[in-house]
């Protein structure tokens, strides 16, 4: 199991260590291969922030070497997927209860209830919802996007104690899977900081657990 996968199943969160991501696309390939997704349906995407901005002492192309030297690249790659948020905005805005926060912590799509209204797309700050089949069925009347699809957290794999495919095949362990405390401890051990602001952290982890990530930030 990947070193980035610390625990699976109930209560787990998926969270990126952006200082470890090298934009290799391994997570995207692993997800597509595992779930046989169509080319236009990408359940995980890598967003590049400050693209083209060189780091303070080197070129962006030399990220790996600079990471090993303990330096942060000026350009940041962010794996964007469903983080199975504690306070999931997609669940809050879904008018048909097609999106539900399950008792084990996974945010699941109930396809038979989705009408393709795309409210979840506007509600999610992380770009997780996808609509690979547009203008299908009831979406022709109520919406425009077809049935919503997103990262499942590889729930079936986790039920047999395997990590999500994206995390298992990440070459730099940039996708962390575990409880909030485990992820916070791992980031602290690596000397990495959460990429998101306080508001986003409370969305992902809830107000109480988000505080686990604030200690180091406040000390600096």
């Amino acid at each position: 199991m990947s070193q980035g996968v610390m625990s699976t199943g109930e209560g787990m969160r998926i969270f990126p260590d952006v200082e470890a991501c090298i934009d290799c696309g391994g997570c995207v390939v692993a997800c597509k291969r595992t779930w046989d997704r169509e080319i236009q349906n990408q359940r995980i995407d890598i967003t590049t922030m400050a693209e083209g901005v060189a780091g303070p002492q080197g070129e962006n192309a030399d990220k790996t070497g600079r990471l090993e030297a303990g330096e942060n690249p000026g350009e940041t790659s962010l794996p964007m997927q469903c983080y199975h948020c504690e306070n999931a905005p997609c669940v809050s805005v879904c008018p048909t209860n097609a999106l539900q926060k399950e008792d084990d912590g996974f945010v699941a799509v109930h396809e038979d209830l989705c009408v393709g209204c795309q409210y979840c797309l506007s509600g999610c700050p992380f770009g997780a919802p996808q609509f690979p089949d547009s203008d299908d069925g009831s979406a022709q009347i109520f919406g425009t996007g077809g049935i919503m699809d997103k990262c499942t957290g590889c729930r079936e794999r986790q039920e047999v104690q395997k990590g999500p495919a994206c995390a298992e095949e990440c070459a730099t362990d940039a996708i962390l899977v575990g409880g909030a405390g485990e992820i916070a401890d791992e980031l602290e051990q690596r000397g990495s900081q959460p990429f998101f602001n306080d508001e986003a952290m409370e969305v992902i982890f809830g107000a109480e657990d988000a505080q686990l990530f604030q200690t180091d930030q406040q000390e600096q």
Side-chain angles (χ1 to χ4, degrees):
M1 192 175 281
S2 164
Q3 292 184 356
V5 180
M6 293 158 285
S7 64
T8 57
E10 185 173 349
M12 73 86 207
R13 291 287 184 277
I14 298 175
F15 193 74
D17 177 359
V18 298
E19 296 179 25
C21 180
I22 57 173
D23 194 16
C24 68
C27 55
V28 178
V29 174
C31 180
K32 284 183 175 291
R33 185 179 65 243
T34 300
W35 299 110
D36 193 24
R37 305 312 301 168
E38 303 86 351
I39 191 168
Q40 73 274 17
N41 184 7
Q42 196 155 297
R43 288 175 168 175
I44 180 171
D45 193 14
I46 302 175
T47 298
T48 301
M49 315 295 284
E51 186 172 9
V53 178
Q57 298 179 17
E59 301 296 331
N60 292 326
D62 191 27
K63 281 184 176 180
T64 303
R66 296 182 55 229
L67 282 168
E68 291 175 348
E71 302 170 359
N72 296 331
E75 183 176 287
T76 301
S77 298
L78 174 63
M80 300 282 281
Q81 62 197 106
C82 178
Y83 300 137
H84 298 270
C85 301
E86 180 64 23
N87 300 316
C90 61
V91 174
S92 299
V93 301
C94 179
T96 64
N97 291 326
L99 282 157
Q100 297 179 20
K101 181 73 173 176
E102 307 286 0
D103 292 341
D104 57 10
F106 288 85
V107 175
V109 182
H110 293 256
E111 295 183 354
D112 57 328
L113 297 176
C114 180
V115 297
C117 67
Q118 296 195 10
Y119 282 14
C120 54
L121 182 60
S122 59
C124 176
F126 308 115
Q130 306 293 317
F131 295 87
D133 299 315
S134 62
D135 298 323
D136 179 53
S138 58
Q140 293 180 351
I141 301 174
F142 300 104
T144 59
I147 303 302
M148 190 268 229
D149 184 68
K150 71 171 187 65
C151 158
T152 65
C154 286
R155 193 176 190 176
E156 293 88 344
R157 290 174 56 90
Q158 294 201 38
E159 287 174 350
V160 293
Q161 286 73 56
K162 292 182 178 179
C166 60
E168 290 286 14
E169 298 196 30
C170 178
T172 60
D173 292 327
I175 298 177
L176 304 178
V177 180
E182 292 172 316
I183 293 173
D185 289 346
E186 180 66 17
L187 289 175
E188 182 178 12
Q189 182 178 351
R190 296 182 181 190
S192 298
Q193 295 293 331
F195 175 80
F196 301 109
N197 61 26
D198 290 346
E199 182 179 359
M201 293 296 284
E202 290 187 10
V203 168
I204 297 172
F205 293 103
E208 183 175 349
D209 282 348
Q211 295 179 14
L212 298 171
F213 297 84
Q214 295 178 354
T215 302
D216 286 346
Q217 291 176 311
Q218 293 172 351
E219 289 176 349
Q220 292 181 359

